[in-house]
Amino acid sequence: MTSSEAGNVARKQSLLKAIMHTSYSGISYLIRLWLICFSFYAYHGFAGKMKIVEEPNTFGLNNPFLAQANRLQPKVTPSPVSGPLHLHHLAGKCFSLTESTYKYEFCPFHNITQHEQSFRWNAYSGILGIWQEWEITNNTFSGMWMRDGDACGTRSRQTKVILVCSTASKLAQVSEPSTCVYSLTFETPLVCHPHALLVYPTLNEKLQKEWDDAEQARYDGLITEQGYNNLLRDIFEDAGLLKSTNVEANQPKAAAVPEKHNTLQKCKEDYQKQSEEVERLRALLTQHNIPYDSQHITDEEKDTVRVTTQDQHLRGDMGLFELQ
């Protein structure tokens, strides 16, 4: 083979290698392009069927970005602010506490909510109670009741708030003593004064007078202890401290029963009627010269059954606080 022929062969082999390299590069490029196109198609093809799990709402009633239909929905309206005046400025404020995976928000005279701090799709966020009434023990405010919260089986969640003396106002502890009934400890310096939670000083003059009358009537034996407690409850209801338990006017009336001295006014009216009847009978006996026990009721004895009070207050201390 001449040198010219050898050179031609070498050039042909180089050209063949170049063609083969170009073919392989083209095939590789086409494969990569096909994979990219397939991936793009697969992403858009299946994206419409994928469920996107959103972060649960943990801001409760204060989240302005949550649709109104999805916000926590209270079942009732909170009761009006009541109780000691020095606690009224807590209305409109909220205090939070995070325990374990739950965040609690306590808004005095409004409600208490619980929010699970989790990204689970069904993380709980709900109302544990709405301000309703005070709990009164031994004529002292002993707790705040938040009722009518979210449904819990066949009943509603409810929370009792216990007020404890401390150097700062804060939500200190939350527990669940029984199913769906919660206990919340709220610490505040507003209850550190020994008379801070007395009920009597929070009443107006008219209701204080009624309380004094009831106290005197119990002392004179005109009403029983149960009757006295019933009178106190009526006073607390009139003051807005307790929710009324009176039967609605449109309820069917119960069968007639003998009247009882269930109120102080009723007791006084019955006594007056009986006194008039006694005097009528005595006059009738005297008119017919019929002898009878001559022991008459003196003015002093009559005064002992009248429900009167002195100018002093029998319950509470009116000089408790000077609000700053």
Side-chain angles (χ1 to χ4, degrees):
M1 180 181 295
T2 64
S3 59
S4 177
E5 292 176 346
N8 291 333
V9 172
R11 284 193 296 273
K12 290 180 180 179
Q13 291 177 347
S14 297
L15 181 59
L16 181 61
K17 290 181 179 179
I19 293 173
M20 293 179 63
H21 183 269
T22 302
S23 299
Y24 287 134
S25 298
I27 294 173
S28 177
Y29 172 76
L30 291 174
I31 292 174
R32 289 198 299 270
L33 182 61
W34 181 83
L35 289 175
I36 292 174
C37 292
F38 179 78
S39 299
F40 183 78
Y41 170 79
Y43 174 80
H44 286 277
F46 291 102
K49 299 180 181 179
M50 295 175 63
K51 182 176 181 179
I52 299 177
V53 179
E54 298 179 356
E55 179 180 352
N57 165 45
T58 58
F59 298 94
L61 296 173
N62 299 320
N63 184 1
F65 302 105
L66 190 65
Q68 183 65 39
N70 295 330
R71 295 191 186 185
L72 302 183
Q73 296 293 323
K75 294 189 292 187
V76 298
T77 302
S79 297
V81 178
S82 64
L85 288 177
H86 54 281
L87 296 181
H88 288 194
H89 84 278
L90 293 175
K93 298 181 180 180
C94 293
F95 304 85
S96 62
L97 171 68
T98 300
E99 286 190 344
S100 184
T101 59
Y102 290 97
K103 180 180 180 181
Y104 299 90
E105 295 263 358
F106 170 54
C107 303
F109 304 107
H110 189 59
N111 65 25
I112 176 171
T113 56
Q114 181 188 48
H115 311 284
E116 184 178 356
Q117 303 296 285
S118 169
F119 291 99
R120 297 188 304 112
W121 71 271
N122 62 342
Y124 176 76
S125 183
I127 300 175
L128 300 186
I130 299 171
W131 162 241
Q132 188 170 102
E133 64 181 346
W134 287 95
E135 179 176 274
I136 299 176
T137 306
N138 294 328
N139 305 321
T140 302
F141 295 110
S142 57
M144 303 175 69
W145 273 107
M146 306 284 195
R147 294 195 173 98
D148 292 318
D150 288 347
C152 182
T154 58
R155 52 181 176 167
S156 298
R157 301 176 191 270
Q158 58 180 329
T159 302
K160 178 183 177 181
V161 180
I162 302 172
L163 304 176
V164 177
C165 171
S166 181
T167 57
S169 294
K170 63 180 180 179
L171 184 54
Q173 183 181 7
V174 179
S175 62
E176 190 176 359
S178 59
T179 304
C180 301
V181 178
Y182 303 84
S183 177
L184 182 152
T185 300
F186 180 68
E187 298 180 351
T188 176
L190 297 175
V191 299
C192 292
H193 192 283
H195 297 162
L197 296 177
L198 286 179
V199 177
Y200 187 92
T202 68
L203 305 178
N204 59 37
E205 185 176 353
K206 175 179 177 295
L207 294 179
Q208 288 180 352
K209 177 64 165 57
E210 291 183 12
W211 193 339
D212 292 343
D213 289 348
E215 190 82 16
Q216 187 68 52
R218 181 179 65 165
Y219 177 80
D220 291 337
L222 298 178
I223 57 176
T224 64
E225 189 68 23
Q226 181 179 356
Y228 170 76
N229 291 331
N230 290 339
L231 289 176
L232 283 191
R233 179 167 184 91
D234 291 340
I235 293 172
F236 298 156
E237 289 179 0
D238 291 342
L241 306 176
L242 301 179
K243 293 205 69 175
S244 177
T245 57
N246 293 335
V247 179
E248 297 294 336
N250 58 0
Q251 294 291 328
K253 295 183 178 180
V257 294
E259 294 184 349
K260 298 181 180 179
H261 297 170
N262 53 359
T263 67
L264 185 59
Q265 183 62 29
K266 179 63 177 175
C267 178
K268 293 164 67 176
E269 292 175 356
D270 288 348
Y271 172 77
Q272 183 65 29
K273 291 178 180 179
Q274 292 175 9
S275 298
E276 294 174 354
E277 180 65 13
V278 169
E279 292 299 330
R280 186 186 69 81
L281 292 175
R282 283 177 174 169
L284 186 61
L285 293 174
T286 302
Q287 180 181 356
H288 292 81
N289 297 320
I290 300 177
Y292 65 91
D293 187 356
S294 60
Q295 184 178 3
H296 295 281
I297 299 178
T298 65
D299 291 338
E300 181 179 357
E301 290 174 332
K302 291 181 180 180
D303 288 339
T304 60
V305 295
R306 293 175 184 168
V307 181
T308 59
T309 59
Q310 303 298 325
D311 291 334
Q312 62 183 1
H313 293 292
L314 303 181
R315 283 289 182 186
D317 181 357
M318 294 303 294
L320 301 182
F321 283 97
E322 292 183 1
L323 298 180
Q324 301 297 329

